[in-house]
Amino acid sequence: MNKNRSDIEKKDKWSIEKIFSSEKDWHLAYAEIKPKDAFLKFKEILCYKDKLNESEKIFSSCLEKYFNTARKLEKLFTYAHLYLDEDLSNDKAKNIFGLISNLLVDFETNTAWIEPEILQIEEKKLRKYLLNPSLKDFRFYIEKLLKLKQHTLSKEQEEILARSSQSLEVCDLVFSSLNNADIKFNNILDKNNKTYPLSHATYFNHLQSEDRVLRKNAFENYHQKYLDLQNSLTELLYGNIKNTNFVSNARKYKSSLEFKLFPNNIDAQVYFNLIKTVKENISSLHKYVTLKKEKLQVDKVHIYDLYTSIVKKIELKKSYEEAKKIVLDSVSILGEDYKNMLKKGLNEDRWIDVYETKNKKSGAYSSGCYDSLPYILLNFEGSLNDIFTLAHESGHSMHTLLANKNQSYIYSHYPIFLAEIASIFNEHILFDLLIKTLKKEEEKKYIINFMLDNINRILFRQTLFAEFELEIHNMQNKNIPLTTSLLKKIYKELYQFYYGKDFEVDDLLQVEWARVPHFYSPFYVYQYAIGFSIALFASKKIKKDPSYKEKYLSILKKGDSDYPLNILKDADIDILKPVFITEAIQYFNDLLENFKN
Ligand SMILES: [Zn+2]
């Protein structure tokens, strides 16, 4: 039975009262910003429309008002979503969350004209604006926009594209409502005929079970639903690919890949290097599958055997206080300042909502905004996984804190490309500490296995996904029609290549692509594999040279104030050279050897 929120000690609940001391305060701030005139929303910003090219004064006032309002809205939103996640059945929280969500949509709709209008200003004039000290803080923001200018169309063409944007989202929306609302899974049985519910939330837990019957039933029942809809799901995915291709063509990009990588200034070579390097070293993954086969004593490893532990589960139960201490010890490598900031966050600043309570949001995340502390939601029970989650989310929160401290509001939101580095870095240093301190051999094996599984899921599997995306988008570029059987064939071949001769690609696995929401955000998942490898690379660098920590921390402090390529280059990481990927795979190999001995 879950506890009530009132049963939890204050020290284990997050301090959202520091954002707004009460709901009343929230409403006061909301009333201040809410447009009074339903027909002229955000008129203090709208009044600049069609005037941005008149003077730098108008230009800078408009941007200042825009970012100030965005900042205030973000603060209101942060409080509302944290408050709601404490108890998803709380009507008061639902109400304020609804209010601010609607207001954000209004804000976006009523300010969507700003960036296109900036891009219509003559470049020479814009560059002259930027010389003005009052616009100093907007320089990189404008630079980024200017880079997009070469792919910006005439005003009329832009208007047509903008008007088509809602129709272009339909495939994604239909997939998401099928996937989240319409598809219902049947209950499944374990080896003793006990019944379990199957859902998106429980699926992965079942796959980790020791009971092969339960794992197989979970996998088959789950994917059968997608197989039943395979033709419609093909059309949706194909539609999404065609839409991406349409916009990419209209904007005169060479390919959909270039289109998606362009805003972050990532060279397509980074993407190709990832796939090439992983494939050249794929024998490491094959060895891992063979090890699974031997340990699980099966003829062939199926997808439903890949996520179960091959060593006896260790009940490494730790209290939250112990877990905090372990995580704090692990970050010592980053210096006293970092450690003390995190310590303060975990203790007196109360970043974390620790325990599961009635109707609290499940899972774990890190959140916060420029005008709040970083906050972390946990459902802590004390397992090894929970300690890694605490380390992971602390990494995100420290990234947020350092970016907020060192950047102005507009550059405080670090890009997705860099987002997983700080979190995964902290997992790696926790792993190193545990390997050193755990005494028993079986405990060591347990966490090595845990890390091997992580590397499989994040580095290898996401690269397989990335290659699949590249292939299917390329087919569209070459005018080859995508059919269900073609998608399944490509998918099967990839799985066979990546997982090798000891792996059986089940017929149902060939339809796995049909359930992956990320494929509706093209060329996104490769960032997980890259971020993971960079984090590992940086954590190894610090071990060899402790003074490297300053360079590492500079990545976190820079937020979004430069392109990821440059931010990483300043920390001696050249993303155009794949050494960090080779080293990540070498590390995987070493762990594998270590495990066997
Ligand atoms: Zn994360």
Side-chain angles (χ1 to χ4, degrees), residues 392-393 396 419-420 423-424 427 528:
H392 183 100
E393 302 305 338
H396 282 310
E420 289 302 326
S423 51
I424 292 172
E427 285 194 50
Y528 293 124

Side-chain angles (χ1 to χ4, degrees), residues 537-553:
F537 188 65
S539 73
K540 300 296 159 230
K541 253 173 140 53
I542 289 191
K543 258 171 79 183
K544 274 183 235 148
D545 170 16
S547 73
Y548 180 72
K549 70 171 183 288
E550 295 308 331
K551 285 196 174 167
Y552 168 72
L553 292 173

Side-chain angles (χ1 to χ4, degrees), residues 310-550:
I310 51 174
V311 287
K312 210 172 104 255
K313 211 172 165 173
I314 301 288
E315 284 304 329
L316 203 80
K317 273 257 182 258
K318 297 277 180 208
S319 71
Y320 177 60
E321 293 305 317
E322 286 169 317
K324 253 191 328 197
K325 198 183 162 303
I326 296 171
V327 170
L328 284 170
D329 276 351
S330 73
V331 301
S332 298
I333 195 166
L334 288 170
E336 280 305 300
D337 276 357
Y338 184 102
K339 187 177 174 175
N340 287 333
M341 274 187 266
L342 180 58
K343 194 172 180 183
K344 184 164 178 279
L346 300 186
N347 294 313
E348 63 247 51
D349 282 345
R350 292 171 31 233
W351 290 356
I352 305 198
D353 210 66
V354 185
Y355 298 108
E356 185 176 11
T357 48
K358 231 178 245 168
N359 299 316
K360 179 173 157 177
K361 192 177 174 75
S362 60
Y365 67 70
S366 167
S367 181
C369 64
Y370 200 67
D371 295 298
S372 80
L373 297 166
Y375 289 101
I376 296 173
L377 178 134
L378 296 180
N379 281 282
F380 186 88
E381 287 177 338
S383 68
L384 179 68
N385 213 354
D386 287 344
I387 306 173
F388 272 94
T389 304
L390 174 62
H392 183 100
E393 302 305 338
S394 301
H396 282 310
S397 286
M398 283 300 293
H399 196 175
T400 305
L401 185 79
L402 291 170
N404 284 351
K405 267 183 192 263
N406 290 282
Q407 300 299 330
S408 60
Y409 170 71
I410 36 175
Y411 304 125
S412 60
H413 306 88
Y414 43 84
I416 296 291
F417 191 89
L418 299 176
E420 289 302 326
I421 295 178
S423 51
I424 292 172
F425 180 98
N426 282 16
E427 285 194 50
H428 286 308
I429 54 181
L430 170 63
F431 176 81
D432 289 340
L433 178 86
L434 290 175
I435 280 289
K436 249 193 276 166
T437 48
L438 289 177
K439 298 277 178 306
K440 290 184 200 143
E441 205 48 41
E442 71 226 49
E443 288 179 340
K444 282 191 187 182
K445 288 223 155 160
Y446 184 71
I447 70 157
I448 293 175
N449 178 57
F450 177 86
M451 188 50 88
L452 285 169
D453 287 353
N454 255 344
I455 302 178
N456 165 43
R457 276 192 298 123
I458 306 174
L459 177 55
F460 290 104
R461 189 160 184 263
Q462 301 300 329
T463 304
L464 183 156
F465 282 0
E467 187 173 1
F468 175 69
E469 282 190 281
L470 187 63
E471 277 206 38
I472 57 179
H473 282 267
N474 275 344
M475 294 211 162
Q476 170 62 19
N477 285 342
K478 290 186 217 149
N479 262 325
I480 302 171
L482 280 182
T483 57
T484 308
S485 54
L486 182 57
L487 286 169
K488 286 160 96 172
K489 181 172 168 281
I490 299 171
Y491 213 71
K492 181 179 180 173
E493 285 169 4
L494 283 173
Y495 254 102
Q496 207 65 74
F497 180 85
Y498 276 72
Y499 287 91
K501 64 174 179 21
D502 287 327
F503 186 82
E504 175 78 31
V505 186
D506 292 293
D507 285 350
L508 277 168
L509 182 60
Q510 295 171 31
V511 78
E512 190 192 43
W513 50 267
R515 70 167 181 85
V516 179
H518 271 131
F519 291 149
Y520 288 82
S521 315
F523 305 115
Y524 185 93
V525 298
Y526 83 102
Q527 303 178 101
Y528 293 124
I530 297 270
F532 184 91
S533 311
I534 293 176
L536 182 61
F537 188 65
S539 73
K540 300 296 159 230
K541 253 173 140 53
I542 289 191
K543 258 171 79 183
K544 274 183 235 148
D545 170 16
S547 73
Y548 180 72
K549 70 171 183 288
E550 295 308 331

Side-chain angles (χ1 to χ4, degrees), residues 11-26:
K11 71 174 178 56
D12 295 324
K13 289 190 274 198
W14 52 24
S15 60
I16 61 167
E17 75 281 359
K18 288 185 185 163
I19 315 177
F20 289 106
S21 61
S22 65
E23 232 186 281
K24 203 176 138 209
D25 268 9
W26 186 94

Side-chain angles (χ1 to χ4, degrees), residues 182-301:
D182 291 342
I183 292 183
K184 301 269 185 300
F185 301 99
N186 306 327
N187 286 341
I188 51 167
L189 298 175
D190 71 1
K191 64 178 178 198
N192 302 317
N193 281 331
K194 193 175 164 213
T195 308
Y196 292 86
L198 178 65
S199 65
H200 292 307
T202 58
Y203 176 62
F204 194 64
N205 281 340
H206 292 319
L207 274 202
Q208 291 177 303
S209 161
E210 286 173 11
D211 176 0
R212 198 175 198 216
V213 175
L214 180 68
R215 296 200 306 263
K216 186 167 188 274
N217 284 340
F219 165 71
E220 288 179 349
N221 278 282
Y222 197 74
H223 286 80
Q224 186 61 47
K225 291 289 169 191
Y226 295 89
L227 185 73
D228 293 346
L229 295 167
Q230 58 176 338
N231 295 305
S232 307
L233 289 164
T234 297
E235 291 308 329
L236 288 177
L237 183 59
Y238 193 15
N240 197 61
I241 291 169
K242 285 190 259 193
N243 290 341
T244 312
N245 187 261
F246 161 70
V247 181
S248 142
N249 272 338
R251 294 200 175 282
K252 302 186 175 60
Y253 287 96
K254 283 198 237 78
S255 64
S256 298
L257 177 68
E258 193 202 11
F259 166 43
K260 288 293 165 182
L261 266 47
F262 195 82
N264 262 330
N265 196 23
I266 304 290
D267 195 299
Q269 202 54 46
V270 175
Y271 199 94
F272 301 142
N273 281 347
L274 171 71
I275 295 174
K276 185 166 173 277
T277 313
V278 167
K279 290 182 84 166
E280 280 169 359
N281 293 285
I282 207 65
S283 58
S284 303
L285 189 61
H286 295 173
K287 278 188 244 161
Y288 165 82
V289 176
T290 306
L291 176 74
K292 291 243 163 188
K293 181 185 124 159
E294 287 163 10
K295 293 283 171 191
L296 295 170
Q297 296 177 324
V298 291
D299 287 342
K300 288 263 192 180
V301 174

